[in-house]
Amino acid sequence: MFVIAHFHIVMGVSAFFGMFCGIYHWFPKMYGRYMNNTLGYIHFWVTLIGAYLIFWPMHYQGFAGMPRRYLDKSSWVSFGQFHGLDAMITVVTVMVFAVQLMFVFNYFYSMYKGRKVRTLNPWGATTLEWTTPIHPGHGNWDGEIPEVHRWAYDYGKDGRDFIPQTEPIGEKESSH
Ligand code: HEM
């Protein structure tokens, strides 16, 4: 069970959070609307806390020697101590699953009813996709294709919050 716990929390949860980040971040670029913020916060917190409530206790079951790949562990008397824990994990799992349905609802609802994006670069990002029109057409840019002059991580530089990749490097610009 230690393997089940550790593998899912490290590989599974991190992969899912990466996908969620991408969807929330690029949703305005895909549909010209934002996903609902309140539902997003509920989804984030219930998933984060829930994931740890599900998988953290499984590590202890592993320490106690509980094997994986068994549907029913009742023939081991010593694992009876984990009945309550298993029940708690099951309840939290149902809750975490429910907020994933809420996320799917938020996705489709926001596609049609979400708050409209009114600025080209709502997150203050440096990368090129945020220089396209709010609803990009074929070829993405209306006029000239922009040039990239810098890497994508010029945040908090020279007193500026972010510097777009399309901006040429200034003569007096610091090198870090
Ligand atoms: C909806 C998501 C998932 C569910 C419901 C799920 C459920 C399960 C269950 C019930 C087991 C067997 C536990 C046991 O043997 O007692 C298992 C094993 C396992 N899962 Fe997942 N899992 C999910 C996602 C993932 C992801 C994303 C990964 C990897 C990135 C992963 C990797 C593994 C591995 C390596 C095992 C052990 C397989 C073995 O025993 O040989 N799972 N999972």
Side-chain angles (χ1 to χ4, degrees), residues 1 3-4 7-8 10-13 15-16 55 67-71 73 93:
M1 287 311 290
V3 171
I4 301 299
F7 208 89
H8 284 94
V10 175
M11 300 298 285
V13 176
F16 272 100
F55 295 117
R68 59 178 164 163
R69 300 179 183 167
Y70 281 89
L71 178 63
K73 291 153 185 147
T93 304

Side-chain angles (χ1 to χ4, degrees), residues 17 94 125:
F17 268 95
V94 171

